PDB file of all heavy atoms in Angstrom:
ATOM      1  N   LEU A  47     108.642 131.262 101.642  1.00 97.00           N
ATOM      2  CA  LEU A  47     109.550 131.479 100.513  1.00 97.00           C
ATOM      3  C   LEU A  47     110.068 130.155  99.934  1.00 97.00           C
ATOM      4  O   LEU A  47     110.301 130.039  98.734  1.00 97.00           O
ATOM      5  CB  LEU A  47     110.726 132.350 100.988  1.00 97.00           C
ATOM      6  CG  LEU A  47     111.639 132.935  99.926  1.00 97.00           C
ATOM      7  CD1 LEU A  47     110.858 133.732  98.881  1.00 97.00           C
ATOM      8  CD2 LEU A  47     112.686 133.840 100.586  1.00 97.00           C
ATOM      9  N   THR A  48     110.230 129.156 100.794  1.00 96.00           N
ATOM     10  CA  THR A  48     110.719 127.853 100.344  1.00 96.00           C
ATOM     11  C   THR A  48     109.593 126.844 100.176  1.00 96.00           C
ATOM     12  O   THR A  48     109.785 125.806  99.549  1.00 96.00           O
ATOM     13  CB  THR A  48     111.674 127.256 101.398  1.00 96.00           C
ATOM     14  OG1 THR A  48     110.993 127.254 102.656  1.00 96.00           O
ATOM     15  CG2 THR A  48     112.955 128.041 101.496  1.00 96.00           C
ATOM     16  N   GLY A  49     108.410 127.136 100.746  1.00 96.00           N
ATOM     17  CA  GLY A  49     107.394 126.113 100.946  1.00 96.00           C
ATOM     18  C   GLY A  49     107.741 125.325 102.204  1.00 96.00           C
ATOM     19  O   GLY A  49     108.863 125.414 102.727  1.00 96.00           O
ATOM     20  N   TYR A  50     106.747 124.552 102.698  1.00 95.00           N
ATOM     21  CA  TYR A  50     106.932 123.843 103.966  1.00 95.00           C
ATOM     22  C   TYR A  50     106.157 122.550 103.928  1.00 95.00           C
ATOM     23  O   TYR A  50     105.052 122.540 103.417  1.00 95.00           O
ATOM     24  CB  TYR A  50     106.440 124.733 105.116  1.00 95.00           C
ATOM     25  CG  TYR A  50     106.575 124.099 106.474  1.00 95.00           C
ATOM     26  CD1 TYR A  50     107.787 124.188 107.168  1.00 95.00           C
ATOM     27  CD2 TYR A  50     105.517 123.406 107.044  1.00 95.00           C
ATOM     28  CE1 TYR A  50     107.913 123.588 108.418  1.00 95.00           C
ATOM     29  CE2 TYR A  50     105.650 122.799 108.283  1.00 95.00           C
ATOM     30  CZ  TYR A  50     106.845 122.901 108.970  1.00 95.00           C
ATOM     31  OH  TYR A  50     106.988 122.318 110.199  1.00 95.00           O
ATOM     32  N   PRO A  51     106.698 121.428 104.462  1.00 93.00           N
ATOM     33  CA  PRO A  51     108.051 121.286 105.012  1.00 93.00           C
ATOM     34  C   PRO A  51     109.048 120.886 103.920  1.00 93.00           C
ATOM     35  O   PRO A  51     108.706 120.133 103.028  1.00 93.00           O
ATOM     36  CB  PRO A  51     107.891 120.141 106.016  1.00 93.00           C
ATOM     37  CG  PRO A  51     106.791 119.295 105.459  1.00 93.00           C
ATOM     38  CD  PRO A  51     105.886 120.199 104.656  1.00 93.00           C
ATOM     39  N   VAL A  52     110.266 121.373 104.046  1.00 92.00           N
ATOM     40  CA  VAL A  52     111.272 121.098 103.014  1.00 92.00           C
ATOM     41  C   VAL A  52     112.077 119.837 103.317  1.00 92.00           C
ATOM     42  O   VAL A  52     112.863 119.382 102.482  1.00 92.00           O
ATOM     43  CB  VAL A  52     112.225 122.295 102.820  1.00 92.00           C
ATOM     44  CG1 VAL A  52     111.464 123.492 102.292  1.00 92.00           C
ATOM     45  CG2 VAL A  52     112.973 122.627 104.089  1.00 92.00           C
ATOM     46  N   GLU A  53     111.915 119.296 104.505  1.00 89.00           N
ATOM     47  CA  GLU A  53     112.563 118.031 104.883  1.00 89.00           C
ATOM     48  C   GLU A  53     114.069 118.052 104.548  1.00 89.00           C
ATOM     49  O   GLU A  53     114.743 119.030 104.839  1.00 89.00           O
ATOM     50  CB  GLU A  53     111.817 116.850 104.245  1.00 89.00           C
ATOM     51  CG  GLU A  53     110.336 116.858 104.649  1.00 89.00           C
ATOM     52  CD  GLU A  53     109.561 115.639 104.205  1.00 89.00           C
ATOM     53  OE1 GLU A  53     109.566 114.621 104.937  1.00 89.00           O
ATOM     54  OE2 GLU A  53     108.948 115.706 103.137  1.00 89.00           O
ATOM     55  N   ASP A  54     114.582 116.992 103.919  1.00 86.00           N
ATOM     56  CA  ASP A  54     116.039 116.876 103.769  1.00 86.00           C
ATOM     57  C   ASP A  54     116.660 117.893 102.819  1.00 86.00           C
ATOM     58  O   ASP A  54     117.892 117.943 102.700  1.00 86.00           O
ATOM     59  CB  ASP A  54     116.431 115.464 103.314  1.00 86.00           C
ATOM     60  CG  ASP A  54     116.424 114.462 104.476  1.00 86.00           C
ATOM     61  OD1 ASP A  54     115.935 114.834 105.559  1.00 86.00           O
ATOM     62  OD2 ASP A  54     116.898 113.334 104.295  1.00 86.00           O
ATOM     63  N   LEU A  55     115.842 118.692 102.128  1.00 88.00           N
ATOM     64  CA  LEU A  55     116.433 119.789 101.358  1.00 88.00           C
ATOM     65  C   LEU A  55     117.241 120.702 102.273  1.00 88.00           C
ATOM     66  O   LEU A  55     118.145 121.405 101.819  1.00 88.00           O
ATOM     67  CB  LEU A  55     115.334 120.602 100.657  1.00 88.00           C
ATOM     68  CG  LEU A  55     114.625 119.942  99.476  1.00 88.00           C
ATOM     69  CD1 LEU A  55     113.504 120.843  98.972  1.00 88.00           C
ATOM     70  CD2 LEU A  55     115.610 119.660  98.354  1.00 88.00           C
ATOM     71  N   VAL A  56     116.904 120.705 103.558  1.00 90.00           N
ATOM     72  CA  VAL A  56     117.644 121.501 104.541  1.00 90.00           C
ATOM     73  C   VAL A  56     119.142 121.182 104.504  1.00 90.00           C
ATOM     74  O   VAL A  56     119.988 122.048 104.721  1.00 90.00           O
ATOM     75  CB  VAL A  56     117.083 121.246 105.961  1.00 90.00           C
ATOM     76  CG1 VAL A  56     118.055 121.710 107.041  1.00 90.00           C
ATOM     77  CG2 VAL A  56     115.732 121.924 106.135  1.00 90.00           C
ATOM     78  N   PHE A  57     119.466 119.912 104.214  1.00 86.00           N
ATOM     79  CA  PHE A  57     120.876 119.504 104.263  1.00 86.00           C
ATOM     80  C   PHE A  57     121.639 119.880 102.998  1.00 86.00           C
ATOM     81  O   PHE A  57     122.845 119.637 102.894  1.00 86.00           O
ATOM     82  CB  PHE A  57     120.975 117.995 104.495  1.00 86.00           C
ATOM     83  CG  PHE A  57     120.358 117.558 105.799  1.00 86.00           C
ATOM     84  CD1 PHE A  57     119.477 116.500 105.852  1.00 86.00           C
ATOM     85  CD2 PHE A  57     120.653 118.242 106.974  1.00 86.00           C
ATOM     86  CE1 PHE A  57     118.905 116.101 107.059  1.00 86.00           C
ATOM     87  CE2 PHE A  57     120.093 117.858 108.181  1.00 86.00           C
ATOM     88  CZ  PHE A  57     119.213 116.785 108.222  1.00 86.00           C
ATOM     89  N   ARG A  58     120.952 120.429 102.029  1.00 86.00           N
ATOM     90  CA  ARG A  58     121.593 120.794 100.775  1.00 86.00           C
ATOM     91  C   ARG A  58     122.008 122.263 100.864  1.00 86.00           C
ATOM     92  O   ARG A  58     121.171 123.162 100.863  1.00 86.00           O
ATOM     93  CB  ARG A  58     120.599 120.547  99.635  1.00 86.00           C
ATOM     94  CG  ARG A  58     121.187 120.336  98.293  1.00 86.00           C
ATOM     95  CD  ARG A  58     120.209 119.696  97.326  1.00 86.00           C
ATOM     96  NE  ARG A  58     120.184 118.257  97.433  1.00 86.00           N
ATOM     97  CZ  ARG A  58     121.155 117.466  96.970  1.00 86.00           C
ATOM     98  NH1 ARG A  58     122.192 117.969  96.337  1.00 86.00           N
ATOM     99  NH2 ARG A  58     121.076 116.165  97.127  1.00 86.00           N
TER     100      ARG A  58
END
Side-chain angles (χ1 to χ4, degrees):
Chain A
L47 192 55
T48 53
Y50 180 85
V52 295
E53 303 187 86
D54 281 10
L55 288 176
V56 163
F57 299 131
R58 203 163 275 286

